[in-house]
Amino acid sequence: MIHARIETQEERALRRLRLFDLMAPDDPDFVLAFRLLTQRAQEVAQAYTKRYLEIVPLGLDDKKQAKFVERVTVGFKARYDVPVGVDWVLKGEELAQDIHRRGADPADHLSALSFAQTKEIIVVFEGIEDPAVGIRIAAKMSRLQALDAEILLTTVKQ
């Protein structure tokens, strides 16, 4: 009987990074983008929260909504603190597992995340003078967004 070799977490993460051509953890474009995004993470979190609450009306008062944005801001800052690499993918898997454990609909998160990621690209473009650099970073961030979606959907499916 032939047994398929089981992939380790690190091997799976590396395969995902290769698949989306994101193999340079010290990529200067992501270093620059994440520095800009860390400074304006609350704006990204607000974009996520606004969309999420449109989809999932939790009935939060202003104080609870502010706390929600605060927690989401911490999450985005943590995301920007890790270079794109194996650890970044593993953190994405942990987030996907948490979404699944809470019984949340991954599509709700993915929709809100897409709005946040649009805001991320706007923030980066606003912080860069050279449009060619902005376009190059936006292309890489687009692949990163696709990786986010793949991680979420595959992890939840498993």
Side-chain angles (χ1 to χ4, degrees):
M1 183 191 291
I2 298 176
H3 294 284
R5 185 177 163 284
I6 297 175
E7 212 173 28
T8 66
Q9 279 186 307
E10 184 173 295
E11 289 170 334
R12 182 177 57 244
L14 288 169
R15 179 176 46 79
R16 285 174 158 156
L17 291 165
R18 278 191 300 275
L19 185 64
F20 291 94
D21 194 23
L22 296 167
M23 290 300 295
D26 56 347
D27 184 317
D29 288 337
F30 280 124
V31 171
L32 173 58
F34 286 0
R35 182 178 50 77
L36 294 168
L37 290 165
T38 296
Q39 295 167 3
R40 294 178 57 190
Q42 186 172 13
E43 292 174 54
V44 176
Q46 287 169 332
Y48 175 95
T49 300
K50 180 179 184 295
R51 179 61 179 161
Y52 189 81
L53 294 178
E54 288 171 355
I55 299 166
V56 183
L58 299 176
L60 303 179
D61 62 27
D62 289 345
K63 187 175 180 179
K64 287 182 180 176
Q65 188 168 329
K67 284 282 191 196
F68 190 94
V69 169
E70 199 176 297
R71 283 193 313 271
V72 173
T73 301
V74 168
F76 277 108
K77 282 184 176 181
R79 169 185 167 89
Y80 306 141
D81 195 39
V82 178
V84 176
V86 171
D87 289 340
W88 194 92
V89 171
L90 296 178
K91 280 191 177 287
E93 289 178 359
E94 288 173 17
L95 175 63
Q97 290 165 356
D98 182 56
I99 288 168
H100 180 67
R101 268 192 300 277
R102 289 185 288 113
D105 186 338
D108 296 342
H109 170 69
L110 203 52
S111 176
L113 188 59
S114 73
F115 277 73
Q117 290 167 332
T118 298
K119 183 65 175 179
E120 286 177 337
I121 290 173
I122 292 167
V123 165
V124 169
F125 262 89
E126 289 174 351
I128 293 176
E129 292 181 25
D130 184 350
V133 173
I135 290 168
R136 187 178 65 232
I137 291 174
K140 289 178 184 180
M141 291 182 70
S142 177
R143 292 197 311 274
L144 194 60
Q145 292 167 3
L147 175 58
D148 267 339
E150 188 278 330
I151 290 169
L152 177 65
L153 298 175
T154 302
T155 301
V156 169
K157 184 176 128 182
Q158 291 172 348

